[in-house]
Amino acid sequence: MKEMFAGCGTILDVGVGTGRFAEYLNDSGFEVVGIDVSLSMMAKAREKRIRSLVRADAHHLPFRDRVFDGAIMIHVLHLVSDWIQVVGEVARVTGRVIVSEVDGGEGFSPRSRYLELRKAMGYPLDRFNDGEAGLRRVVPPANVKLVGDYWIDTDVHEEIDSFDRRKSSVSWDVPTEVNDRIIQRLHSENPEKTVRRREIVEVVGWDPGQLRNFVARERSRT
């Protein structure tokens, strides 16, 4: 990410959360401003010496056009109600580069199967599930850096149980009885204890102009 932000001075962290990325960028000499809707999360970011924090909704950023050199947007788009609006706002306030981390791979994914089951049971997800990875597919980034490509053995039932504990956002709005049925199905469909899975991690960077053009095209269709 530091390489992607070469030449940048100011960076907006969209969905700063507890500041895990902002802390590193701040320590690397960038001027970081973090926005989030959660005061409790930003309180944890403040403990990491992130001082410039603004409570704001990413759908309506309270900043002037292109006031930031760069922006970081990670694990945000799958949580918002209108992801295209958010992309447009981030692109509006950014002048040089918008950076994200994109995860991919192959092998069993409890998350993907959970989404299939909740849809089959009458509770389809009404948000942009693909998140930043989906944006990467519809708007090819100007820069891509591969930072991880490896195989891991994962405890499949431990991952499934994390959905039972509502650790994933895709389970937050599912009624308890439906969630219980999904968890039971996931366990019964996967009798083995461990599965092998490939993990691919990239850092990608878009030219804000790319994203502004994309949003303009999408809006012209509606």
Side-chain angles (χ1 to χ4, degrees), residues 125-145:
L125 190 72
D126 62 357
R127 302 190 305 274
F128 184 50
N129 170 57
D130 290 340
E132 287 78 12
L135 178 61
R136 184 205 189 292
R137 286 192 289 273
V138 297
V139 184
N143 292 294
V144 177
K145 292 185 181 293

Side-chain angles (χ1 to χ4, degrees), residues 50-198:
I50 311 302
R51 296 291 174 243
S52 299
L53 296 167
V54 179
R55 190 182 192 190
D57 184 338
H59 294 86
H60 306 284
L61 292 174
F63 306 111
R64 297 190 306 274
D65 293 358
R66 308 186 193 189
V67 69
F68 298 99
D69 297 324
I72 185 171
M73 181 173 57
I74 299 177
H75 300 158
V76 171
L77 297 182
H78 69 289
L79 297 173
V80 300
S81 59
D82 186 342
W83 70 275
I84 292 177
Q85 170 74 14
V86 170
V87 169
E89 278 291 276
V90 177
R92 177 184 66 79
V93 303
T94 307
R96 295 173 63 103
V97 62
I98 297 170
V99 172
S100 187
E101 174 197 303
V102 174
D103 302 322
E106 57 188 74
F108 174 68
S109 168
R111 189 177 192 275
S112 297
R113 184 58 179 146
Y114 188 101
L115 286 166
E116 292 172 357
L117 290 171
R118 65 169 285 175
K119 182 177 181 179
M121 294 181 187
Y123 291 90
L125 190 72
D126 62 357
R127 302 190 305 274
F128 184 50
N129 170 57
D130 290 340
E132 287 78 12
L135 178 61
R136 184 205 189 292
R137 286 192 289 273
V138 297
V139 184
N143 292 294
V144 177
K145 292 185 181 293
L146 178 67
V147 295
D149 185 348
Y150 51 90
W151 289 85
I152 61 170
D153 291 317
T154 184
D155 186 322
V156 63
H157 296 286
E158 184 176 295
E159 284 202 32
I160 293 170
D161 286 339
S162 73
F163 288 85
D164 195 21
R165 297 191 298 272
R166 308 290 185 144
K167 295 277 188 175
S168 172
S169 63
V170 299
S171 67
W172 291 349
D173 60 340
V174 177
T176 299
E177 64 276 11
V178 176
N179 186 67
D180 290 345
R181 285 162 53 200
I182 294 174
I183 298 303
Q184 290 171 5
R185 281 283 299 274
L186 287 170
H187 280 303
S188 65
E189 290 175 355
N190 298 279
E192 67 276 16
K193 178 174 174 55
T194 61
V195 293
R196 192 148 178 80
R197 186 167 65 211
R198 185 184 184 189

